[in-house]
Amino acid sequence: SYELTQSPSVSVSPGQTARITCSGDALPKKYAYWYQLKSGQAPALVIHEDSKRPSGIPERFSGSSSGTVATLTISGAQVDDEADYYCYSADRSGNYGVFGGGTKLTVL
Amino acid sequence: EVQLVQSGAEVKKPGESLKISCKGSGYSFTTYWIGWVRQMPGKGLEWMGIIYPGDSDTRYSPSFQGQVTISADKSISTAYLQCSSLKASDTAMYYCARRSNSSGAIDCWGQGTLVTVSS
């Protein structure tokens, strides 16, 4: 079955840029979405359709996609951005969705 | 306000079956896909499947095909996730989620239903 691959963890100091990648064979044809998951909370959408930011999401969150790799960038990461981040997309047929394995972002 | 409200936490014994619900409000329930997502303790999000309540078109992730049943009752704006022959490994948080028709994103999540399977 289709898989999206993320690195397990990323660590940055406050104010630095964090980049989280997601790779999948269908990403050239399917949008990537990014979700932030904090303990005890439902996931929050931070990027949709590769690079669009929902209202209310800080400008430091941005997304891009090139070939088989989608990237979530947090410019000037803050301690409050510490969370697990999941990419989400669809398989080539569009019949079902897939989450990446998640990336734990540490900001300290 | 768009809301998905899930049924409460469940404690089950191995071998028992389970049916959890997800009631949508604040939007046209029949015209948005509703999906189910599992998060096992300490693990990541897993996409289980999705249903279009308007015509009950249902798609399952290959990992969950045959393992769960997703259904919907549009008369009461409620989607369901059914699991039978529960195992301890089914212990997880289960979320329902609405998929946006415009962006394809999951734009609304239920609060989650914690299912514990233990003898």
Side-chain angles (χ1 to χ4, degrees):
Chain A
S1 60
Y2 184 54
E3 292 184 355
L4 296 172
T5 302
Q6 297 181 238
S7 53
S9 63
V10 168
S11 183
V12 298
S13 300
Q16 288 189 326
T17 296
R19 291 183 179 84
I20 299 171
T21 60
C22 171
S23 63
D25 290 342
L27 289 178
K29 294 191 181 300
K30 298 296 182 186
Y31 285 126
Y33 304 81
W34 291 94
Y35 293 89
Q36 178 191 69
L37 185 55
K38 293 184 176 181
S39 181
Q41 298 180 19
L45 178 69
V46 295
I47 293 290
H48 63 93
E49 295 170 270
D50 291 345
S51 59
K52 297 178 180 178
R53 193 174 52 249
S55 61
I57 299 301
E59 289 185 13
R60 63 181 181 274
F61 287 86
S62 63
S64 62
S65 187
S66 178
T68 60
V69 180
T71 302
L72 172 68
T73 301
I74 308 172
S75 304
Q78 299 182 4
V79 173
D80 188 54
D81 298 331
E82 274 205 352
D84 294 327
Y85 290 85
Y86 292 86
C87 62
Y88 164 81
S89 187
D91 76 311
R92 276 200 183 83
S93 69
N95 281 334
Y96 63 89
V98 180
F99 286 100
T103 298
K104 183 174 182 60
L105 174 65
T106 302
V107 183
L108 54 74
Chain B
E1 179 194 3
V2 174
Q3 273 194 314
L4 296 173
V5 177
Q6 298 182 225
S7 48
E10 301 262 12
V11 179
K12 294 288 187 180
K13 291 186 174 0
E16 291 185 338
S17 60
L18 170 77
K19 188 173 186 178
I20 57 180
S21 65
C22 169
K23 183 172 176 62
S25 63
Y27 72 100
S28 174
F29 183 76
T30 57
T31 59
Y32 287 81
W33 291 84
I34 293 283
W36 288 92
V37 177
R38 182 176 79 174
Q39 185 176 29
M40 298 168 68
K43 302 296 185 183
L45 302 174
E46 299 175 275
W47 181 255
M48 303 178 74
I50 196 167
I51 187 166
Y52 190 76
D55 62 6
S56 293
D57 185 6
T58 309
R59 318 275 174 88
Y60 293 95
S61 167
S63 301
F64 291 92
Q65 180 81 48
Q67 309 302 311
V68 301
T69 301
I70 294 171
S71 61
D73 184 340
K74 59 186 178 183
S75 69
I76 55 172
S77 300
T78 301
Y80 300 96
L81 175 69
Q82 267 180 277
C83 309
S84 59
S85 301
L86 289 167
K87 303 180 284 292
S89 57
D90 292 314
T91 294
M93 181 72 84
Y94 293 85
Y95 293 100
C96 64
R98 189 187 82 158
R99 191 171 79 185
S100 166
N101 290 332
S102 57
S103 72
I106 301 170
D107 64 356
C108 181
W109 295 77
Q111 82 276 21
T113 297
L114 181 62
V115 174
T116 303
V117 182
S118 174
S119 55

